[in-house]
Amino acid sequence: MARPVWAGNLSFGLVSLPVGLYTATDRHTIHFHQLQRGTSDRIHNRRVNERTGDEVELDDIVKGFDTGEEYVLVEPEELDEIAPGRSRSLEIAGFVDLAEVDPVFFDKTYYRGFPTGCVSLGTVTWG
């Protein structure tokens, strides 16, 4: 079954419904593997410590910003806290006619469904 790209609550004033947002279309892009010429053996990229040459486990890797004199380390939790616009709640304040929305905003098509494990709340009718 498809996994939602976003799951949260959709609010209409005092009413809140759990929903999942699913992609309605697939991108049909070709993905290539890197191969060694002549042998067709797959090439793997490894995470290697630049100074020691030792391979580094994924859990031991953090992001860092180079200030020129030193690195400022940023943990994943810190990135989650400062990420703009990430929320599990979407409040609808109003609706507009389709003609009022510039097509440049239609990058992808999505459909709304109830997330896995959610008890169905019946049929919602849009008037």
Side-chain angles (χ1 to χ4, degrees):
M1 177 162 189
R3 291 184 350 187
V5 293
W6 180 85
N9 294 306
L10 187 59
S11 299
F12 300 88
L14 298 175
V15 178
S16 182
L17 299 171
V19 296
L21 192 64
Y22 301 84
T23 53
T25 58
D26 286 330
R27 292 183 187 230
H28 298 285
T29 307
I30 297 173
H31 298 281
F32 293 99
H33 295 285
Q34 292 181 334
L35 306 173
Q36 182 178 5
R37 189 181 316 276
T39 66
S40 295
D41 293 337
R42 291 264 320 261
I43 303 299
H44 295 279
N45 295 320
R46 293 198 167 94
R47 294 168 183 89
V48 177
N49 181 310
E50 187 176 83
R51 182 178 52 82
T52 65
D54 295 335
E55 194 165 337
V56 179
E57 295 295 324
L58 187 58
D59 292 343
D60 294 330
I61 297 175
V62 296
K63 293 187 179 203
F65 178 76
D66 187 359
T67 64
E69 297 177 12
E70 63 181 344
Y71 283 100
V72 176
L73 301 182
V74 182
E75 296 293 338
E77 298 82 25
E78 294 174 308
L79 288 175
D80 290 340
E81 290 175 12
I82 63 172
R86 287 194 179 177
S87 174
R88 292 290 174 204
S89 182
L90 181 63
E91 183 174 347
I92 296 179
F95 295 92
V96 297
D97 289 329
L98 181 60
E100 294 180 48
V101 181
D102 191 329
V104 73
F105 294 108
F106 299 136
D107 180 45
K108 256 187 161 178
T109 305
Y110 298 91
Y111 67 92
R112 180 213 37 92
F114 292 106
T116 305
C118 176
V119 177
S120 175
L121 301 174
T123 304
V124 177
T125 305
W126 302 93

